[in-house]
Every structure is written in structure tokens, then in C-alpha cells.
């Protein structure tokens, strides 16, 4: 395992002061840890090796190195649970091994209550990040396939698997594309949206919605970010750049309060008073 430093920026976005994780891999100021399960090398920051990359980027896994499972896990940047999360990053997948890139990468929001405020997180397959209490988004490349997979995962289950034709976005074409994730609390659940922007570092395409879905029962929880890359029999280079994760609207889970001759319900908490809905006919 290797400890790395990454930038931490404090910002104010119409909400109380809070931290944001911003990492362009050009600076070395904030703590992250690189962990590998399987063959070397681990995830490492690389210098610019092609014209499609701006300066430095993170290489999660490596072409022609099979059975890799590399983690790049950040320390906590924001204390507390936040109602809104916006995460975005550029990614590039490519393979010189007969052009058969596989398997995938993911970004996960791991709960500090389970995995602490620093160190490695859960060891899951990158393209299938199904772990208890973890929200994650995955990108899965299939060798010689005609579609790409983008998926959303929560609490050990895959909620969405959105296939996108190569005519929309070819995720393993060796070009940087950008994904944007938006998480918003809605009552006792959360709404998740995912977008893709093709060719994001050269001639960006439109921001295309991949999916919008409700995550029943998911309430805000204190978390930190983990990037994971995995390869199996087929391999690929998997690169990440310009990672941005911002949090807003601090969440407080206030239980309903009942006192003598008085009922209090704020409708913002996860608890609720007992309400029965009835119907009757009108003639």
C-alpha cells in the first residue's frame, strides 16, 4: 500500500462551508492510499504520454497485466452527511491487446462508519461494486461488444444497468470522456442522475443523460471516495483525470418528537408519525 497526497479545497456554494475533493493529479497535497489486490503495478499517477491527456493523470489498471484489482482511496474530506453530492471525472479506457479492452472501473462513496476516515475500502470487483451500505457507479467495457455498460449500485445490489450504443459513446476508444453524477435526497430516499460527455478534453459533445432513478430508503451518510479498476483475462489501460466531488446541504436526521397533548412532525427526518390513508366513494 502506498500513501499519496491530493488537493483539498474548501469552498462555499450557497451553503455552509464544507470541503470538496478536487484532484487533477498535478499537485500532491491531500491524502489518498493506493492498494492492489493481485499483480503489480498499483495505481499510479502518470506523466502525459499522449496528446489526448493534459499533463498528469491516474492510471488505475494496466494493459497486458491480467487479474488486476487496484484501489485508490481518499481520506475523508467532509465531516457529516450531506443531502447533495455532485461527482465528475474524465476517464479513458484502451487496449493494444487485440483491441479487446476489459473489464471496468468504478467510483464508490464508502461509509466512514464502516471503513473509517482513512485507509483502504472494500475489495469489490470494479464493474460490480455491490457492497453493503455503499453507493457506487461503474463503467464496464466488454471485449468486441457493440454496447457499453454504465451501472448504479447501492447496498449490495445493482439498481441500474444502462447500455449505450457505440454510436453514442465508445468508452474503450482511447479518448477521454467525462461522467457526471448527481445525488439528491428526496424525503426518505435519494434521486440519482448520471450523464456522459464524450471527447471531453478535445471537442466535448453534449451532456447526455444516461439514467435518472430513485434509490428507495437511501438517506445521506458520511462518506469518502474510492476509485477501483479491475481486469480479468482481457486487459486495458484505465485512466482517470480531473476528479471533482462536492457536497452541499448538511443533513440532520431529527427523530419526531411527541410530548403530552402535542405532536411534532417536521417531515424532514427518516422517522414519521403513523398515518393511515383511507378512501370512500362519493355518490
Amino acid at each position: 500500500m502506498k500513501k499519496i497526497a491530493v488537493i483539498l479545497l474548501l469552498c462555499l456554494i450557497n451553503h455552509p462551508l464544507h470541503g470538496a475533493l478536487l484532484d487533477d493529479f498535478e499537485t500532491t497535497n491531500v491524502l489518498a492510499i493506493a492498494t492492489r489486490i493481485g499483480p503489480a503495478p498499483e495505481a499510479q499517477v502518470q506523466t502525459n504520454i499522449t496528446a489526448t491527456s493534459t499533463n498528469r493523470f491516474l492510471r488505475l489498471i494496466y494493459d497486458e497485466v491480467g487479474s488486476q484489482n487496484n484501489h485508490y482511496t481518499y481520506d475523508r474530506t467532509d465531516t457529516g452527511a450531506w443531502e447533495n453530492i455532485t461527482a465528475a471525472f474524465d476517464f479513458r479506457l484502451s487496449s493494444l491487446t487485440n483491441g479487446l479492452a476489459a473489464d471496468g472501473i468504478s467510483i464508490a462513496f464508502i461509509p466512514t462508519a464502516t471503513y473509517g476516515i482513512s485507509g483502504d475500502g472494500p475489495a469489490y470487483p470494479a464493474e460490480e461494486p455491490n457492497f453493503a451500505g455503499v453507493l457506487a457507479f461503474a463503467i464496464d467495457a466488454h471485449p468486441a461488444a457493440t454496447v457499453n455498460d454504465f451501472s448504479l449500485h447501492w447496498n449490495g445490489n445493482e439498481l441500474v444497468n444502462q447500455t449505450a450504443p457505440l454510436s453514442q459513446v465508445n468508452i474503450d476508444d482511447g479518448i477521454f470522456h467525462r461522467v457526471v453524477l448527481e445525488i439528491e435526497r428526496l424525503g426518505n430516499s435519494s434521486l440519482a442522475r448520471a450523464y456522459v460527455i464524450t471527447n471531453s478534453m478535445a471537442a466535448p459533445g453534449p451532456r447526455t443523460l444516461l439514467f435518472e432513478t430513485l434509490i428507495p430508503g437511501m438517506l445521506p451518510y458520511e462518506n469518502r471516495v474510492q476509485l477501483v479498476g479491475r481486469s480479468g483475462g482481457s486487459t486495458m489501460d484505465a485512466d482517470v483525470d480531473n476528479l471533482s466531488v462536492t457536497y452541499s446541504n448538511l443533513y440532520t436526521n431529527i427523530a419526531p418528537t411527541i410530548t403530552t397533548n402535542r405532536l411534532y412532525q417536521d417531515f424532514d427526518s427518516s422517522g414519521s408519525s403513523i398515518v393511515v390513508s383511507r378512501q370512500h366513494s362519493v355518490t
Side-chain angles (χ1 to χ4, degrees):
M1 293 187 293
K2 182 178 179 182
K3 203 74 171 181
I4 303 105
V6 189
I7 187 168
L8 172 65
L9 177 68
L10 293 179
C11 62
L12 183 62
I13 311 179
N14 298 325
H15 298 290
L17 189 66
H18 62 280
L21 173 62
L22 301 174
D23 194 359
D24 61 4
F25 304 100
E26 306 297 330
T27 56
T28 54
N29 297 317
V30 175
L31 294 180
I33 189 169
T35 309
R36 64 178 176 87
I37 303 173
E42 63 195 7
Q44 295 179 12
V45 175
Q46 308 284 318
T47 57
N48 182 14
I49 57 175
T50 73
T52 58
S53 172
T54 57
N55 302 319
R56 291 155 61 91
F57 57 89
L58 177 69
R59 175 146 293 169
L60 270 175
I61 55 174
Y62 299 77
D63 194 21
E64 301 184 6
V65 182
S67 301
Q68 283 201 296
N69 190 340
N70 287 344
H71 305 177
Y72 197 82
T73 312
Y74 293 89
D75 286 4
R76 182 184 65 186
T77 57
D78 290 68
T79 302
W82 299 82
E83 294 189 356
N84 301 92
I85 304 174
T86 300
F89 61 90
D90 296 298
F91 70 94
R92 176 177 60 186
L93 312 178
S94 61
S95 175
L96 298 177
T97 310
N98 299 319
L100 303 179
D103 284 282
I105 64 174
S106 62
I107 181 172
F109 305 92
I110 61 175
T112 58
T114 304
Y115 301 101
I117 64 173
S118 64
D120 194 19
Y124 54 79
E127 71 277 24
E128 295 294 339
N130 295 319
F131 234 82
V134 173
L135 175 69
F137 173 84
I139 301 168
D140 189 359
H142 298 274
T146 58
V147 295
N148 305 288
D149 284 350
F150 300 90
S151 57
L152 182 72
H153 304 254
W154 162 244
N155 199 27
N157 298 293
E158 182 182 74
L159 302 184
V160 177
N161 191 313
Q162 177 65 52
T163 57
L166 298 185
S167 58
Q168 287 184 330
V169 53
N170 185 357
I171 63 175
D172 59 358
D173 58 4
I175 296 174
F176 271 107
H177 307 295
R178 188 165 184 82
V179 294
V180 180
L181 311 175
E182 297 175 349
I183 311 299
E184 176 187 0
R185 184 181 78 90
L186 289 179
N188 289 337
S189 300
S190 294
L191 184 68
R193 303 181 191 91
Y195 303 87
V196 64
I197 302 169
T198 58
N199 201 10
S200 54
M201 290 193 181
R207 181 165 132 152
T208 301
L209 179 67
L210 292 171
F211 59 76
E212 181 178 51
T213 189
L214 189 70
I215 310 175
M218 193 195 113
L219 291 171
Y221 60 96
E222 185 180 88
N223 65 78
R224 56 193 180 93
V225 173
Q226 181 177 41
L227 300 173
V228 176
R230 188 191 79 89
S231 64
S234 298
T235 62
M236 65 181 174
D237 288 328
D239 304 328
V240 171
D241 204 352
N242 303 313
L243 172 66
S244 169
V245 182
T246 59
Y247 300 85
S248 60
N249 282 354
L250 187 63
Y251 172 73
T252 302
N253 185 2
I254 306 175
T257 302
I258 301 176
T259 59
T260 304
N261 298 324
R262 180 173 178 266
L263 170 66
Y264 171 75
Q265 174 67 53
D266 65 358
F267 300 101
D268 292 321
S269 63
S270 60
S272 64
S273 53
I274 298 174
V275 178
V276 178
S277 177
R278 295 184 174 88
Q279 293 181 330
H280 62 89
S281 59
V282 177
T283 59

